[in-house]
Amino acid sequence: MKYEIRIFAKDRNKIIQFADQNGNANLMFTPTEWEDLYYAMGAVIDDEAMKQEDTDKVVAIITVKEIEFEEVMDRMVDDLTPTLTQVLDSTQEQTVFRIAA
């Protein structure tokens, strides 16, 4: 199963894909880091983030075109580890987050 986070804000978008240490995106278990980001996304919209599940991929999405990305981050960081905060703060629109096996 592949896991992805997508955040669409007023001034910036962020896509985080998850992979194991070898770069394999097909993961056996839901990464804890994906779940942490998924729940933190709820703090931005005061609701659960949308979750799309296909046969081989799970994607969490929030679209907040009225809020700048900096404010999105401010609302999420209380629920995130420093490592996840750093990934979220990266200026790259698309990031691959490697999880420990």
Side-chain angles (χ1 to χ4, degrees), residues 3 22 29-30 41 50-51 59 73 90-91 93-94:
Y3 293 88
N22 297 320
F29 303 101
T30 304
M41 291 164 77
M50 184 173 71
K51 189 190 301 185
V59 181
M73 277 197 54
S90 165
T91 57
E93 182 174 331
Q94 194 161 344

Side-chain angles (χ1 to χ4, degrees), residues 20-37:
D20 64 18
Q21 294 294 65
N22 297 320
N24 182 11
N26 287 315
L27 305 173
M28 299 283 287
F29 303 101
T30 304
T32 303
E33 297 87 350
W34 184 90
E35 290 178 341
D36 291 347
L37 282 164

Side-chain angles (χ1 to χ4, degrees), residues 14 60 67:
K14 185 70 176 179
I67 302 173

Side-chain angles (χ1 to χ4, degrees), residues 85-100:
T85 300
Q86 187 176 7
V87 168
L88 193 62
D89 195 29
S90 165
T91 57
Q92 295 176 311
E93 182 174 331
Q94 194 161 344
T95 304
V96 175
F97 184 79
R98 293 184 188 261
I99 60 167

